[in-house]
Amino acid sequence: SVYEMSGNECCLSTGEVIKVTGFKINKLIASICEKNEVSQFSAKMELPLNFPGLYKVVADKTPYVSIEEITRKVSIGPTRFGHPCFYSPEDIKLANFTVRRGEQITFNSVEVVNGAMAVNCVVVRNNQSHSFTLPLSQEGKFYECEDDQIYTLKEIAEWKIPKCRNRIVRLSNALHMWDFSNPLPENFDGCLILMPVYEVQAVMKHRKDIVHILSDLDVEVKDITDCYDTSSFLQPLSLEDVFERTSMEFPMVAEIMEGPSESQKPYNLLSAGKEIVIYKKYQAARILASETRSDSPKRHFLIPMSYKGKFKRRPREFPTAYDLEIARSEKEQLHVVATKAFASPHKELFSVSVGDQFLVQQCQTSEILYEGRKKVVDVLACEQILSDTYKKVLLPMYMEGSFVEVIHDKKQYYLSEICKEFRLPFNVKVSVRDLSIKEDVLAAVPGLQFEEEITDSYLLISSASNPVESWEIPVYRLNMLVHLLSKDVQRVVPPATKTTVEEISKEQYYMVRRYENQTLHPPPRPPKKP
């Protein structure tokens, strides 16, 4: 059979031995969904996995009848996507624990327990985690729990579509860049039923790359697994597979079978056939930063703590008095100027004019007259800066105005100093670029907002043939396949690590922000009426 692979024709000869290494969703057939059914007016649309937008998964109403069925059809793994949640409409009585009906059960991993396969599970009850195992033989009805996370189509295809089932998703954010090539209706914000189209991933005896075969290819095959030595085939590994190896197995030498599609440096050096040394795996901190510009699209970056450039402060903008209270610090007094007028409905509270300047003091309570009754409300105490004096004023916390920070600090800061001395978010501009980076992308950005500090998984690698420098590659944002070589690492100590500022897409930005520590969120803004 002759078929096309990556734009090239490929021939499968009679008698050719192929080792199937996995199944992967190649694309999705989507139909508009109404009341959990395909709309009678909906045409089927083919969506690539990189189709834009963020989506919420609609819980499947069809139950699973055993733990074994769940493990066979649902992806359970070590990554943050691989922890599906289910509930049982009946109590599940175990030897030392009873799972109550309706309780959310998180499936973490599958392993052998006392000689039998079982699933490691967790139930959170009264803010306490209870761990237990469920054998694959456990029967009953198990329903999917509602999932409030958002995902890209690629993530849904890889983790959230059970085998032999379709998946309903709801568009979570509007597609701003709609055009006539978009198969979805303009301003569409409803649900889609996704039907996966699979491809077979395989390796062949005399090829060093991965062969992708569409599942509808018309070719007859015979299973010879039991009578063939499969050790002679290459074993492709994803970066996640490498990261799961024990620390004792590093460093290791690998050959790239499929390089990443990213064109930015240094990822463009990771092409198929190149040999690399993988020194170690670890978690590393990054600062998530975005351009400070009103027009879209904004650019987003992940900046390592090793960045050697310097920054100058830039004014922050605050939409309400409540945001001023959040940004207030003990180290320095917050000085702002109003850029929008606000007329207070209460004589006890101050009305703001454009150009008014304030020094923010503290949050306190004040008594006001509201609908003929006295009421105590939260207010922000400030000092209004007049020409030759200061006037104490009270601003309502719900006040919707607009304030811009007045910067008096002319000092230049390293990234580590900003993280140590100031609270994020924090606005800056590069004043001295990082001279160790040939092209410092941050230097050309007119303004940046440091949004938060995140922790992510990385592998430290270098070229095997010319290990003059090493660099960190993100495990969960770089798609590439390698196979390990039985070569000794000539240099166990890695060369100097090159600083890499990673520019990420809008979808990747939302994925990173989605896993931030929820305790960093301020409480909801106060109501607009007392």
Side-chain angles (χ1 to χ4, degrees), residues 427-443:
N427 289 9
V428 297
K429 177 181 177 9
V430 173
S431 56
V432 179
R433 73 178 186 88
D434 187 340
L435 298 176
S436 71
I437 304 176
K438 189 174 181 180
E439 296 176 13
D440 186 350
V441 293
L442 298 182

Side-chain angles (χ1 to χ4, degrees), residues 20-66:
V20 175
T21 59
F23 299 90
K24 184 179 178 182
I25 294 176
N26 174 269
K27 57 188 175 183
L28 296 163
I29 305 298
S31 304
I32 293 176
C33 171
E34 293 178 359
K35 297 179 181 179
N36 292 348
E37 294 181 357
V38 176
S39 169
Q40 59 179 329
F41 304 108
S42 172
K44 289 186 176 181
M45 301 162 280
E46 187 175 296
L47 300 181
L49 299 188
N50 62 354
F51 188 75
L54 297 168
Y55 305 82
K56 283 193 172 184
V57 169
V58 176
D60 195 338
K61 303 299 182 187
T62 305
Y64 294 83
V65 297
S66 68

Side-chain angles (χ1 to χ4, degrees), residues 316-330 332 334 336 360-363 379-380 397 405 422-426 451 519-526:
R316 290 172 287 178
E317 296 183 9
F318 306 99
T320 70
Y322 174 75
D323 295 291
L324 296 177
E325 162 61 16
I326 294 173
R328 186 175 62 85
S329 76
E330 300 297 328
E332 63 176 358
L334 182 59
V336 296
V360 179
Q361 301 291 328
Q362 63 189 22
C363 175
V379 295
L380 187 65
M397 292 294 271
E405 184 178 20
F422 301 101
R423 290 175 62 181
L424 304 185
F426 197 75
E451 297 184 15
T519 60
L520 295 179
H521 284 303
R525 287 195 171 98

Side-chain angles (χ1 to χ4, degrees), residues 250-266:
F250 293 87
M252 57 182 71
V253 182
E255 181 179 347
I256 299 172
M257 299 181 73
E258 270 191 3
S261 57
E262 282 78 0
S263 58
Q264 70 179 98
K265 294 180 180 178

Side-chain angles (χ1 to χ4, degrees), residues 376-434:
V376 176
V377 296
D378 290 330
V379 295
L380 187 65
C382 299
E383 287 185 340
Q384 184 188 12
I385 302 174
L386 302 174
S387 57
D388 56 355
T389 186
Y390 297 93
K391 176 184 175 183
K392 292 187 180 297
V393 298
L394 300 177
L395 304 181
M397 292 294 271
Y398 61 80
M399 170 190 164
E400 287 196 4
S402 182
F403 300 92
V404 174
E405 184 178 20
V406 179
I407 300 291
H408 301 283
D409 182 2
K410 305 301 181 185
K411 183 182 173 184
Q412 298 182 101
Y413 293 91
Y414 287 109
L415 182 60
S416 58
E417 293 175 323
I418 291 174
C419 295
K420 184 178 179 181
E421 297 183 28
F422 301 101
R423 290 175 62 181
L424 304 185
F426 197 75
N427 289 9
V428 297
K429 177 181 177 9
V430 173
S431 56
V432 179
R433 73 178 186 88
D434 187 340

